[in-house]
Amino acid sequence: VRTTSFHADMSRNDRKTLYLLGRRDAAKVADVLPFDSNAASYLADRARNLDWRLRRFAKQLKTNKLEGVSLERDRLKLQQMPPVTPPEAEALDRKLDTLLPRVRITELLLEVAERTGFLNAFRDLRSGKEHDNPSTVLAAILADGTNLGLERMANASEGVSYAQLAWTHNWYLSPENYQAALAMIISAHHELPFARHWGAGTSSSSDGQFFRSGRSRSGAADVNAKYGAEPGVKIYSHLSDHFASFGSRIMSATAGEAPYVLDGLVQGAGNLPLHEHYTDTGGATDHVFALCHLLGFRFAPRLRDIGDRKLGSIAAPSTYKGIENLMGRTIKTAAIEADWDDIVRIVASIKDGTVAPSVILRKLAAYKRQNRLDFALAELGRIERTLFTLDWLEQPELRRACQAGLNKGEARHTLAAAIYTNRQGRFTDRSLENQEFRASGLNLLIAAISYWNTVYLDRAAQHLNAVGTTFDAALLAHLSPMGWAHISLTGDYLWEQARRLPAGEFHPLNEPMARLKRVA
């Protein structure tokens, strides 16, 4: 079978659109990458590690030392993880939710803006000046994030006209400004002490959420049979273990999610010290396993039908007695070594920010099946997928952590659906640019609500301790700042009447007994 090189497969236009670093520049970046850039020593190390792990796994499986894992008729069986949220945590959640202040979204946004300074990011695209009316900027963001639109937002807002909103949206809102504002909220969120109850701030998850389109089979959307017969788009979002929604982007409803997993980690995470990332099966391919490892991330997807997936090995499969039937074909390390320089160049280009990971992965997927680099990267990914599969089978705590991370993402999706309700929650914009504005506004609102809820969950927990209502602090790990029942998301937006808190002050907690005493 004839194979062709990466560069031979590409047209001149392909090479221009990839924007890879030159080999000399790539070599400089490779010096700081978290792996040995020498192919022979790298592969020798991975071969030793993989061989040792497979031998240990075979021994543990034979002696029934793996929790929840067994081998039946040459097929792996993995027990389902039981729910981990205790009833006491649900009771505590209800108590704290009752105490959270009842606020309008206008008041919430003004307070978050004051505490994080995110409005400073929305500057005039020509002069760089700040807007002289912060309420107009917030109203424009709400028009995007709630899908209300500028005209309806003007009709529902006090003291904000359509002309003001349209001018503000044109000259103060941009993808770069949205990203800068989001980064300020995320940074402030991760500095909140209470957020540490939910994790160390080093893990994240990502998933796609489907939204229907108002235009039947138009250029605005595609039909994905998984979600019914109506066309739509997906928002692929990234969430840290602190419930900070640090990234989102529009993608086709029919496109695979895997190419976008690394985009949020590399381009949207900013200074977050992320190390481990969770997805469901839709985000997992061998290529993503390879690139995540080479960029220094531990990729931990929840794989469906893991018992049917074959393990890879560099030695002959017959080497591993007792698990021969679990082994697939031998990993072709010669193919990896032959295209190693191009693999390093791709990783260096992604690390440097020269090219988005999704661009590389989509380009590789579009080339001929015989493309050498695509095959080599997939073979490298098979090594990492096998090592991860062994981790997954040997470590119940990893399975629990992944499930918890994905559950946080589901909570984010639920909040997103509650916010994005106007026009029946449909994307009616034809252009990708306008769709991206909607997604950016929605994500910023989610991040602001999560930040605000975290601040006041902390105050509510302190209040319970102060009045003698004791609870196990470990239960706080099971709470979520993605609730919205106490927030008025719709109605008239009374910006001029919204209560602005003096510096250092907070909204009073919602204490029913205190209100009764005041009435008496």
Side-chain angles (χ1 to χ4, degrees):
V1 177
R2 183 183 66 88
T3 60
T4 56
S5 73
F6 180 46
H7 298 292
D9 255 359
M10 291 193 298
S11 68
R12 182 175 300 175
N13 288 335
D14 287 331
R15 297 177 199 176
K16 289 182 179 179
T17 55
L18 276 175
Y19 299 113
L20 294 180
L21 288 173
R23 295 190 181 279
R24 185 174 299 176
D25 292 332
K28 294 178 182 178
V29 177
D31 290 338
V32 298
L33 291 174
F35 63 92
D36 190 339
S37 59
N38 180 274
S41 58
Y42 172 86
L43 289 171
D45 177 72
R46 301 315 278 170
R48 285 192 297 269
N49 188 26
L50 183 59
D51 179 69
W52 174 72
R53 293 292 306 278
L54 285 168
R55 292 178 186 276
R56 188 182 69 172
F57 172 72
K59 183 177 180 180
Q60 289 176 318
L61 189 63
K62 182 179 180 180
T63 55
N64 295 318
K65 290 184 178 180
L66 298 176
E67 181 181 333
V69 181
S70 60
L71 185 64
E72 300 178 11
R73 297 180 180 178
D74 294 326
R75 189 173 184 273
L76 284 173
K77 293 289 186 180
L78 188 63
Q79 292 181 1
Q80 189 173 358
M81 299 294 292
V84 295
T85 303
E88 296 84 359
E90 296 177 358
L92 177 61
D93 183 42
R94 290 191 293 271
K95 288 180 181 178
L96 294 176
D97 183 69
T98 300
L99 288 170
L100 295 181
R102 272 47 187 167
V103 295
R104 291 177 176 270
I105 188 63
T106 50
E107 296 172 320
L108 184 149
L109 288 176
L110 285 167
E111 184 178 354
V112 173
E114 180 64 30
R115 297 191 185 282
T116 66
F118 78 82
L119 277 177
N120 292 331
F122 292 100
R123 295 176 175 269
D124 191 298
L125 300 179
R126 301 157 298 179
S127 66
K129 293 182 179 179
E130 293 184 39
H131 203 291
D132 57 4
N133 186 354
S135 296
T136 306
V137 179
L138 294 176
I141 294 170
L142 265 177
D144 278 340
T146 63
N147 201 28
L148 190 60
L150 298 180
E151 186 174 354
R152 292 183 180 181
M153 177 58 70
N155 293 334
S157 292
E158 173 191 44
V160 178
S161 68
Y162 173 74
Q164 288 175 310
L165 282 176
W167 181 74
T168 298
H169 198 282
N170 284 337
W171 294 109
Y172 285 84
L173 271 61
S174 69
E176 294 77 17
N177 288 358
Y178 260 127
Q179 186 59 41
L182 180 66
M184 297 171 78
I185 297 175
I186 299 305
S187 178
H189 188 145
H190 269 250
E191 291 175 0
L192 295 174
F194 194 81
R196 295 171 195 154
H197 290 292
W198 300 317
T202 59
S203 67
S204 58
S205 63
S206 60
D207 192 22
Q209 182 176 13
F210 180 78
F211 289 84
R212 286 174 172 77
S213 168
R215 302 181 183 276
S216 178
R217 297 182 182 274
S218 71
D222 296 311
V223 175
N224 186 330
K226 176 182 177 181
Y227 304 104
E230 291 188 67
V233 298
K234 283 201 288 187
I235 297 180
Y236 196 74
S237 57
H238 286 70
L239 188 75
S240 77
D241 57 356
H242 283 181
F243 287 95
S245 186
F246 63 85
S248 69
R249 64 167 298 162
I250 291 288
M251 60 176 289
S252 168
T254 57
E257 296 180 355
Y260 302 98
V261 169
L262 273 163
D263 278 8
L265 294 176
V266 175
Q267 299 178 325
N271 295 322
L272 297 183
L274 299 180
H275 168 67
E276 189 164 83
H277 187 73
Y278 313 119
T279 71
D280 61 12
T281 303
T285 65
D286 289 342
H287 298 79
V288 176
F289 271 107
L291 290 179
C292 276
H293 167 69
L294 295 176
L295 288 164
F297 298 106
R298 186 190 193 192
F299 184 46
R302 181 182 59 190
L303 298 175
R304 287 193 300 267
D305 303 323
I306 197 167
D308 295 329
R309 294 175 180 268
K310 296 295 185 180
L311 302 174
S313 65
I314 294 175
S318 58
T319 304
Y320 308 103
K321 304 301 181 184
I323 59 171
E324 299 96 323
N325 291 325
L326 302 181
M327 307 300 297
R329 63 171 176 78
T330 303
I331 295 169
K332 300 184 183 303
T333 55
I336 301 173
E337 196 162 3
D339 281 279
W340 181 254
D341 289 343
D342 277 331
I343 291 175
V344 173
R345 187 181 173 202
I346 284 177
V347 177
S349 298
I350 293 173
K351 182 71 173 180
D352 186 65
T354 304
V355 65
S358 60
V359 172
I360 288 288
L361 291 174
R362 285 187 283 113
K363 285 287 184 184
L364 289 175
Y367 293 147
K368 298 176 182 178
R369 233 174 169 179
Q370 295 88 353
N371 176 259
R372 280 187 0 199
L373 180 57
D374 178 74
F375 179 75
L377 194 61
E379 289 297 279
L380 186 59
R382 287 186 64 214
I383 297 175
E384 302 310 320
R385 174 168 56 83
T386 299
L387 290 171
F388 160 74
T389 302
L390 299 177
D391 286 342
W392 187 265
L393 295 170
E394 294 173 354
Q395 302 171 18
E397 62 276 12
L398 175 60
R399 305 198 291 270
R400 281 190 286 267
C402 179
Q403 186 61 54
L406 295 178
N407 287 344
K408 292 176 181 181
E410 290 299 326
R412 182 209 178 273
H413 290 345
T414 304
L415 176 57
I419 296 172
Y420 200 78
T421 55
N422 292 289
R423 298 187 177 101
Q424 298 180 318
R426 296 172 181 266
F427 271 82
T428 59
D429 303 282
R430 281 185 178 273
S431 72
L432 177 61
E433 180 183 16
N434 287 339
Q435 291 176 0
E436 289 285 5
F437 271 107
R438 301 289 189 199
S440 296
L442 175 60
N443 197 46
L444 191 139
L445 293 180
I446 291 171
I449 290 172
S450 182
Y451 170 84
W452 190 92
N453 281 343
T454 302
V455 170
Y456 281 94
L457 282 171
D458 189 3
R459 294 183 63 77
Q462 292 180 33
H463 173 78
L464 288 183
N465 283 323
V467 298
T469 304
T470 58
F471 58 86
D472 184 357
L475 296 175
L476 297 174
H478 300 283
L479 304 185
S480 166
M482 292 293 178
W484 71 90
H486 52 287
I487 304 169
S488 179
L489 295 171
T490 58
D492 291 333
Y493 299 100
L494 308 177
W495 298 104
E496 295 181 357
Q497 298 181 32
R499 181 185 175 191
R500 288 170 167 79
L501 295 175
E505 291 194 13
F506 296 85
H507 286 284
L509 295 177
N510 180 52
E511 301 177 70
M513 295 305 298
R515 290 204 310 272
L516 290 175
K517 290 179 181 179
R518 287 196 295 269
V519 172

